[in-house]
Amino acid sequence: MTVSGNDAESLAGYEVVVYSFGLGLYRLWSAEAAAARLYCALLSFRSAGADPPDWEGHPYRDALENLAKIPYSSYDAAGYVTNVSHLVYATTLFDTFLTETTLFLFLLHPKSIGQNQQVTLQTVITSSSLNGLITQAAIKRTRELSYLSFQARLDFLGESFGLRFKLDANTIEAVKRYTLLRNSSVHDQGVFDIRLDEVGKIVWQQKACTLHPTPVSGEDVQRAIEVYSEVFQIVANEVFARVLKRLPHPAVSGFLQRRGSRDSGG
């Protein structure tokens, strides 16, 4: 497959897709670090057993008093919602990366959008150029594909653009698992099942924990980030190598290397 248009511009176009994912990943790591420090501060405060009278004249009295007002139940709730939020955000980052990669490849090779794609008359009237129409058709087709599973979208990219994604069974299963966990977290935080019984009476039955309806642990979040980052690297490397005919951009592995350094205390 050859690159159409200006090679330098095409290369830069995909670099911003990679950069966008990297920025989001860095933002997520920063949020994780901030949350961890806040929870550590609260736990340290609780274990110290300080009494309010001892804080008289303390330079951080206001902060200490606010920590004292946080009951364990709120700390537990904050931890649960934080884990759910981080999982949702990590999955959204990966979702966005696949979407932007697909759109980029469509714009690079417009014929891959398909001959049966249609645009509305309004789009034709308001578009200022043929390129504008192509862009709208590419966006429409990309949006249609975004409703498919991640695996189906990867399969589409492989079949349409000759990309070869070497994903092992464990990685594929992990992507599926954390995608389903994300969907459950977003669409079902209910604690009870409500239904009609045999005589038509509305009855209910508890189906989940009242504190953690969708069990999402910190380990789940970390593993999801690792899996999404791994697939991101594989997809990006394939686009650079097979479509753009370039060596992988340093940013592709750079963010992952920083992650490893961060986890090891570097």
Side-chain angles (χ1 to χ4, degrees):
M1 181 177 294
T2 58
V3 177
S4 61
N6 184 285
D7 285 4
E9 292 177 357
S10 299
L11 180 63
Y14 196 60
E15 285 177 348
V16 300
V17 173
V18 170
Y19 183 60
S20 179
F21 180 85
L23 284 177
L25 206 57
Y26 184 78
R27 190 180 302 115
L28 178 55
W29 294 337
S30 298
E32 285 185 301
R37 289 182 183 277
L38 288 172
Y39 298 148
C40 285
L42 179 58
L43 289 175
S44 296
F45 172 80
R46 291 295 185 190
S47 63
D51 295 322
D54 297 336
W55 302 342
E56 193 68 37
H58 195 286
Y60 300 115
R61 177 174 178 175
D62 289 344
L64 293 172
E65 288 179 341
N66 281 323
L67 285 175
K69 295 175 183 177
I70 303 175
Y72 176 79
S73 59
S74 294
Y75 163 76
D76 181 68
Y80 171 69
V81 173
T82 296
N83 286 338
V84 169
S85 299
H86 287 175
L87 176 64
V88 170
Y89 188 74
T91 306
T92 302
L93 281 179
F94 182 62
D95 187 357
T96 301
F97 166 70
L98 286 184
T99 295
E100 292 183 342
T101 294
T102 303
L103 178 60
F104 169 80
L105 293 174
F106 278 151
L107 295 176
L108 198 61
H109 300 283
K111 290 183 179 180
S112 63
I113 298 173
Q115 296 180 353
N116 297 325
Q117 293 302 307
Q118 300 179 351
V119 293
T120 64
L121 177 60
Q122 180 65 25
T123 301
V124 174
I125 294 173
T126 58
S127 180
S128 59
S129 66
L130 175 60
N131 286 335
L133 288 175
I134 292 175
T135 298
Q136 290 304 312
I139 291 173
K140 181 176 179 291
R141 181 61 175 143
T142 301
R143 187 178 298 116
E144 292 171 354
L145 292 168
S146 69
Y147 291 102
L148 300 176
S149 68
F150 285 157
Q151 184 59 58
R153 290 161 71 179
L154 290 172
D155 290 342
F156 175 86
L157 291 178
E159 295 168 1
S160 300
F161 302 101
L163 304 179
R164 302 172 187 174
F165 305 130
K166 296 180 180 179
L167 302 175
D168 59 50
N170 290 334
T171 299
I172 294 173
E173 183 59 32
V175 169
K176 181 179 179 181
R177 179 188 174 215
Y178 293 117
T179 300
L180 291 175
L181 188 57
R182 175 265 180 197
N183 292 343
S184 177
S185 300
V186 171
H187 300 293
D188 187 9
Q189 284 291 318
V191 176
F192 304 100
D193 269 330
I194 304 174
R195 60 182 176 81
L196 292 176
D197 65 9
E198 290 77 4
V199 298
K201 179 181 178 181
I202 297 178
V203 296
W204 59 269
Q205 182 178 13
Q206 185 170 338
K207 66 174 181 179
C209 173
T210 56
L211 298 179
H212 313 130
T214 302
V216 178
S217 67
E219 290 74 16
D220 288 326
V221 175
Q222 295 306 313
R223 180 58 182 148
I225 294 173
E226 291 170 2
V227 169
Y228 294 149
S229 298
E230 178 185 347
V231 180
F232 152 76
Q233 186 176 35
I234 291 171
V235 173
N237 283 345
E238 275 292 286
V239 173
F240 277 114
R242 296 189 185 277
V243 178
L244 299 175
K245 308 300 182 182
R246 293 289 193 277
L247 292 175
H249 192 277
V252 175
S253 57
F255 280 99
L256 305 184
Q257 290 171 352
R258 290 191 189 103
R259 174 69 183 203
S261 174
R262 173 182 174 273
D263 290 343
S264 62

